Amino acid sequence: MSIEMKILKSIVISFLIITSFIYGQDESRYDKYKGIAEEIVKTALLEKKGYNYLEQLCKIGPRLSGSENSLKAIYWAKDKMEKLGFDSVWLQPVMVPYWVRGEVEKVIISKSKYFINRKLAVTALGGSAGTDKKGITAQLIEVGSFKELKNLGDKVKGKIVFINHQFSDGNIDPFRSYGETAGERITGPLECSKYGAVAAIIRSLTADYDNVPHTGVTGKADSIKQIPSVAIGLKDADFLSEALIKDPQLKVNIKLSCKNKSDAQSFNVIGEIKGAEKPNDIIVVGAHIDSWDVACGAHDDGAGCMQVLECLDLLKRMGIKPERTIRCVLYINEENGSRGAREYEKFAEASHEKHIAAIESDRGAFTPRGFYVDSDSLTLEKIKSWLPLLEKSGIDWIKKGGSGADVSYINNCLAKLGYASDSQKYFNYHHSANDTIDAVNPREMELGSAAITIMTLLLSNEL
Ligand SMILES: [Zn+2]
């Protein structure tokens, strides 16, 4: 054996000894969590407390920011945290935008040789302007994209624009399809208004082929006139597109009584259990308490709220004392303003505490799939090494990615994570009247609570 080969051999052996030592040390270090993780999963599945809390929350009804119901839900959540014996519970004041749908929401084909008085399945977009009692009547013009709208330019003046961009069923991750189309809902009506359109009808952001319209926020800008805008169910979107081919001169009447009111007083709900060893180190587990007004928002994001609340409850009930403080933050106003997230950001900046990590649950309460991690690569590798423990709750992967709309506002923490459940059915329910308690499977939701709890414990004690 040459000198070089001897050196190489000794380097390889030293490497193997060192890595096996580190690996062995990590193995035994994490061994103690195996039993705890299994127990967390079993307790969540057997007791289903989070699901039970979700049933209670859903009975309050929809929780749109600024509404009376949203305040009822906020006080209910505070009371729940107090009854569960969290160490501190408080409300953090937040001023929120307040939009009301009102009673009237009617869109019909008002002039046509073939389709006169045909009613269309629509729902006003959150933040939309309303109309007067007579409504707006105008000719309809269909576009498939912003590009088509731009090409038409002034030709849309005085007309109602129908943005009929299909939510793709061809992406493996429906969140990708949402990303491809959400811009047209958020800024579409403003773009139409720029060219002089009088109202906008947007194809609902779902691939689930029913006729239930899906609402969601639409934007505002000081310099652009806001026009009435609605989402239309898929079946009626296709009907309307065909009707326009047969009768390009058809006119539509839109009546909406929705309006934007002045900002309202609201709150983030915060509860925590103090860390046994590092009480000033904070792990945030967050979700948003507001929902759209068309259903109780069981998946979006009632279940997320109850999962992060159950995380603290599980640790407490099982007598597990995390080293760092675990703080549950139920943010208000994620759907149409992120004011809750910004208020918490200010609070975190001003506080003497150290935010170490944050997890958000806002992607539905289906079977657990993974965690997206927003961190540096060393931290990511460390978190990835916990996968065997997370697998006990059904988690398949941990990978780099965006965390969530609310926790992304927390600055200077080591890691921000987004809990991801199976996303295939999420947009069947999202922002629609379909998002009710019976859309949530108790076992799937509870496995998510368990996954979040195991991850939270590891972030608290091992990061
Ligand atoms: Zn949400």
Side-chain angles (χ1 to χ4, degrees), residues 389-407:
L389 295 165
L390 271 315
E391 278 172 347
K392 296 188 181 298
S393 59
I395 290 290
D396 292 326
W397 48 260
I398 294 168
K399 59 187 171 196
K400 196 163 181 63
S403 51
D406 285 318
V407 302

Side-chain angles (χ1 to χ4, degrees), residues 192-217:
C192 296
S193 177
K194 269 197 219 165
Y195 295 111
V198 289
I201 299 177
I202 316 286
R203 186 184 178 94
S204 286
L205 304 187
T206 180
D208 186 33
Y209 203 65
D210 59 17
N211 209 21
V212 179
H214 294 234
T215 189
V217 72

Side-chain angles (χ1 to χ4, degrees), residues 1-11:
M1 192 183 280
S2 68
I3 294 274
E4 288 85 355
M5 282 304 284
K6 273 184 188 164
I7 292 170
L8 186 66
K9 195 180 166 195
S10 73
I11 288 173

Side-chain angles (χ1 to χ4, degrees), residues 288 290 299-301 334-335 362-363 426 430-431:
H288 66 90
D290 62 310
H299 277 289
D300 187 15
D301 187 19
E334 187 273 344
E335 295 291 3
D362 186 19
R363 287 171 163 256
Y426 185 59
H430 186 248
H431 298 180

